[in-house]
Amino acid sequence: MVKIRTKRKIVSVRHSIFHFGSAVRDSMIKEPYTKARLLKDLIAGIVVGIIAIPLSMALAIASGVSPEYGLYTSLVAGIVIALTGGSRFSISGPTAAFVVILYPVAQAYGPAGLCVASVLCGFFLLIMAAGRLGRLIQFIPIEVTLGFTMGIGIVIAVLQVKDFFGLDIASMPESFVDKVMVLATKFDTLKWGDLVVGTSTLAVLVLWSKLKIKFPAHLPAVLVGTAVAWVLTTYCDQTIATIGSRFHYTNPDGTVGNGIPPFMPHFLLPWNLPGPNGGSLTWDFATIQALIVAAFSMAVLGAIESLLCAVVLDGMTNTRHHSNGELFGQGLGNIIAPFLGGITSTAAIARSAANVKAGGTSPIAAVGHAVTVLVAILALAPALSVLPLAAMSALLLLVAYNMSEWRKVVNLAKTAPRTDVLIMICCIFCTVVFDMVVAISFGIIMASIIFMRDMARMTRVHDLTVHKNVSEQLNKDFGAYGIAGPLFFASAEKVFRNLRHELLSEKGLILDFSGVNMLDAGGSHCLEQFCNEMQKKGVKLIITSVQFQPMKAMVKSKFAQKHPEVDFEKNLDDALAYAKTGHKAAEITA
């Protein structure tokens, strides 16, 4: 036994190591990697990179930090996760889902707190991978997933109102209700120039698909928005907020530049970055506790997002990802990226789907996307600095719209049971008013309780004597009942209570367990109590047709040793014969 366990342990360790970089292995070792595939990957990488450049900046701004943080995240995490993860088509970087968590952290603790939380998030993801929690994604009900994604979409949309309309608001409050109130009271500061830029960008994004041009709409939309901003600034005397007007950076020589720094990210310690309001971050117990909680929230959301993305890509490509390997890659990417100026990252469904549609075949496409972002940083930084913030907000408004999946939400509301609809609505509310972790936790707990209630209702007791063949064979002093459904803590008490009510003056009782497919500790406890009562009343108890799992639970709890008076029979016919003759089937055969 020791040798077998040791061998299994060695295999388990090898299996976990084997998942490191499994996406690269699956796409290159199992299949020949040819020049044609390389060309496809490079083209797909450039296409996705074009999408990622404006989105990465917009998401960083929405998260409360400078736009270069988003570009560095796509660059560093995009490469690390692709080469070490478990999904060959995933493109990782900053995503809209994280905005609801990252923005409050950035407001309270600055870039330093956000990057430290990202590192901690990476370690949480590594722990999840080591614990093989990758498959747990399947236990999150669809109503919970739709609920928190819809809630996240609403929060992101509300955060974009300020820049889309050019409202004069120094900083947004943390509470969602306060955000809405501030936006409502500041609408008199609306700048029609920003509104025109945002509207023109959004119009291109919405109408682009009707042109049936096989090129992402993100770049043309931002270019149109930038052109409109130039016209309004030059000929209409409008002041349009741009990346360069709001964000600044420090050159190596100490001078201050505007917009995007035109150089590669360099190694830095996340905790040495600026804290809140540009000062240093104060390290105390409250700060550490808050960052750990935020990091755990990021890890949970990152795991859900990345694995959902991998599942979607599997369906598009008829492939299989390695869930724990993907968690490992996501963890490693989130640990490394903050040391090079990045923030929290995960797989992005929209960019990953664009990768597949553009012909990507391996993680090399993700590397190509990162290289495209790097080229943009080095060669196009001055051009990126003139992009209007209203155009960036228009991009995220469309992202929020797509992320909300309102069609699925409406369909579920029309077709699902009322309890599922209630869970979804509660998850939307909790995501918007509180946060995503509260929403998911509440949703899963609520769904679990409702599921257990429904399962408990399914477990029933039925009188077997209504069947003629049973009543004819049964001893007149015996009763015979069948139990159908799982005997667990939520159903067992009701089952045995009903049995007590059914019993009259029987001297014996046959319990048919052929319909009992599960027995837990609560069910075992109720069964033992029932056996004790029957023994005190002098009622002979015969249990028959016990399935494997309930029998295993009885053996483990030493049920036979505790209740030697209870007899077991293989099937109902043997139990009926035993009740009638007083002899077991084996004795009759002998």
Side-chain angles (χ1 to χ4, degrees):
M1 288 297 292
V2 176
K3 288 183 180 179
I4 294 173
R5 288 180 180 176
T6 305
K7 192 174 182 180
R8 283 181 178 174
K9 189 174 182 181
I10 293 171
V11 171
S12 175
V13 172
R14 286 178 181 173
H15 184 68
S16 61
I17 295 173
F18 196 62
H19 280 314
F20 176 83
S22 57
V24 175
R25 183 190 71 248
D26 289 346
S27 59
M28 294 188 177
I29 297 178
K30 292 185 177 181
E31 303 174 20
Y33 195 75
T34 61
K35 290 182 180 179
R37 286 186 63 195
L38 175 61
L39 181 61
K40 286 183 178 180
D41 284 339
L42 292 178
I43 293 173
I46 293 171
V47 171
V48 178
I50 291 171
I51 299 173
I53 291 165
L55 270 181
S56 298
M57 293 189 294
L59 290 167
I61 295 169
S63 299
V65 292
S66 302
E68 65 267 21
Y69 284 89
L71 293 172
Y72 294 161
T73 305
S74 292
L75 170 59
V76 180
I79 293 176
V80 173
I81 296 172
L83 297 180
T84 62
S87 178
R88 68 182 83 174
F89 301 103
S90 289
I91 304 292
S92 295
T95 62
F98 277 128
V99 170
V100 294
I101 303 177
L102 303 191
Y103 183 81
V105 175
Q107 292 295 299
Y109 304 102
L114 185 54
C115 288
V116 170
S118 298
V119 174
L120 295 174
C121 163
F123 281 110
F124 278 125
L125 285 167
L126 289 184
I127 293 171
M128 291 180 187
R132 298 187 179 184
L133 302 181
R135 293 296 177 188
L136 292 183
I137 185 70
Q138 62 188 325
F139 294 107
I140 299 179
I142 187 172
E143 60 268 25
V144 175
T145 304
L146 287 178
F148 80 76
T149 51
M150 168 63 88
I152 289 172
I154 293 171
V155 174
I156 293 171
V158 169
L159 287 173
Q160 304 320 304
V161 172
K162 171 180 172 289
D163 287 332
F164 189 86
F165 290 95
L167 304 182
D168 187 13
I169 301 175
S171 62
M172 294 287 283
E174 185 174 343
S175 166
F176 177 81
V177 177
D178 291 339
K179 286 186 181 77
V180 174
M181 292 181 65
V182 167
L183 290 172
T185 56
K186 289 290 185 177
F187 250 93
D188 57 342
T189 64
L190 180 148
K191 298 180 181 64
W192 70 267
D194 291 270
L195 177 58
V196 171
V197 171
T199 303
S200 60
T201 305
L202 191 59
V204 175
L205 288 169
V206 173
L207 299 175
W208 187 260
S209 60
K210 297 184 178 180
L211 300 177
K212 297 182 179 180
I213 300 175
K214 292 184 178 180
F215 189 82
H218 302 74
L219 182 59
V222 171
L223 290 177
V224 168
T226 305
V228 172
W230 180 81
V231 170
L232 293 174
T233 303
T234 306
Y235 298 103
C236 301
D237 196 28
Q238 290 291 311
T239 302
I240 307 296
T242 65
I243 289 176
S245 67
R246 180 175 296 182
F247 299 101
H248 311 281
Y249 63 91
T250 303
N251 287 302
D253 59 2
T255 59
V256 177
N258 297 326
I260 306 295
F263 42 78
M264 291 182 63
H266 56 279
F267 180 83
L268 46 84
L269 298 175
W271 44 88
N272 288 340
L273 287 168
N277 301 318
S280 58
L281 184 62
T282 302
W283 290 102
D284 52 26
F285 179 77
T287 299
I288 295 172
Q289 184 182 35
L291 292 181
I292 290 175
V293 172
F296 181 74
S297 302
M298 296 173 191
V300 171
L301 182 56
I304 293 171
E305 278 284 298
S306 61
L307 296 179
L308 278 178
C309 178
V311 170
V312 170
L313 296 175
D314 286 349
M316 293 176 66
T317 59
N318 195 27
T319 57
R320 286 188 63 188
H321 71 282
H322 297 278
S323 55
N324 295 312
E326 180 64 8
L327 290 181
F328 180 86
Q330 294 291 338
L332 203 60
N334 277 284
I335 291 172
I336 294 175
F339 287 91
L340 292 167
I343 55 176
T344 318
S345 66
T346 189
I349 294 178
R351 276 163 273 173
S352 300
N355 176 36
V356 173
K357 292 177 182 177
T361 67
S362 77
I364 297 300
V367 175
H369 131 272
V371 172
T372 304
V373 172
L374 176 61
V375 171
I377 294 172
L378 298 179
L380 302 176
L384 295 177
S385 299
V386 302
L387 298 180
L389 293 177
M392 299 288 99
S393 65
L395 283 178
L396 291 186
L397 281 174
L398 185 65
V399 170
Y401 174 83
N402 292 331
M403 186 176 185
S404 67
E405 297 190 288
W406 64 270
R407 290 183 180 86
K408 291 183 180 180
V409 170
V410 171
N411 182 62
L412 189 140
K414 289 180 178 179
T415 59
R418 264 187 271 179
T419 52
D420 291 344
V421 177
L422 178 62
I423 292 171
M424 182 180 69
I425 293 172
C426 289
C427 286
I428 295 172
F429 176 81
C430 289
T431 303
V432 171
V433 177
F434 301 107
D435 61 51
M436 181 272 308
V437 173
V438 172
I440 293 178
S441 302
F442 180 81
I444 291 176
I445 291 172
M446 192 173 175
S448 300
I449 292 173
I450 292 173
F451 173 76
M452 288 185 289
R453 183 202 66 181
D454 293 341
M455 291 298 292
R457 286 177 176 176
M458 291 175 62
T459 307
R460 298 180 180 277
V461 177
H462 53 279
D463 189 352
L464 297 177
T465 58
V466 296
H467 302 289
K468 187 176 181 181
N469 62 327
V470 174
S471 60
E472 289 177 351
Q473 298 180 63
L474 186 63
N475 186 323
K476 64 179 182 179
D477 293 329
F478 271 72
Y481 296 90
I483 302 175
L487 267 181
F488 66 114
F489 64 92
S491 63
E493 186 177 349
K494 181 194 74 173
V495 165
F496 291 109
R497 183 174 64 249
N498 291 343
L499 273 173
R500 292 185 188 98
H501 291 161
E502 291 287 337
L503 291 176
L504 298 173
S505 59
E506 291 89 344
K507 295 181 180 179
L509 178 65
I510 296 175
L511 290 182
D512 184 4
F513 267 47
S514 60
V516 178
N517 51 16
M518 191 270 283
L519 179 69
D520 73 346
S524 296
H525 177 70
C526 290
L527 176 60
E528 290 185 15
Q529 282 188 323
F530 182 77
C531 292
N532 291 333
E533 291 182 26
M534 295 302 101
Q535 186 181 23
K536 290 178 181 177
K537 292 180 179 180
V539 177
K540 178 65 178 178
L541 191 60
I542 303 172
I543 299 177
T544 181
S545 307
V546 183
Q547 295 190 41
F548 177 75
Q549 192 281 332
M551 181 61 75
K552 184 179 178 182
M554 289 181 182
V555 171
K556 192 171 183 179
S557 65
K558 298 181 180 180
F559 179 85
Q561 289 92 322
K562 295 178 184 176
H563 300 278
E565 77 283 357
V566 177
D567 286 304
F568 288 86
E569 288 294 338
K570 186 177 180 180
N571 52 55
L572 181 59
D573 288 336
D574 290 347
L576 292 171
Y578 178 40
K580 197 163 190 176
T581 63
H583 299 286
K584 289 181 173 291
E587 296 173 356
I588 296 171
T589 304

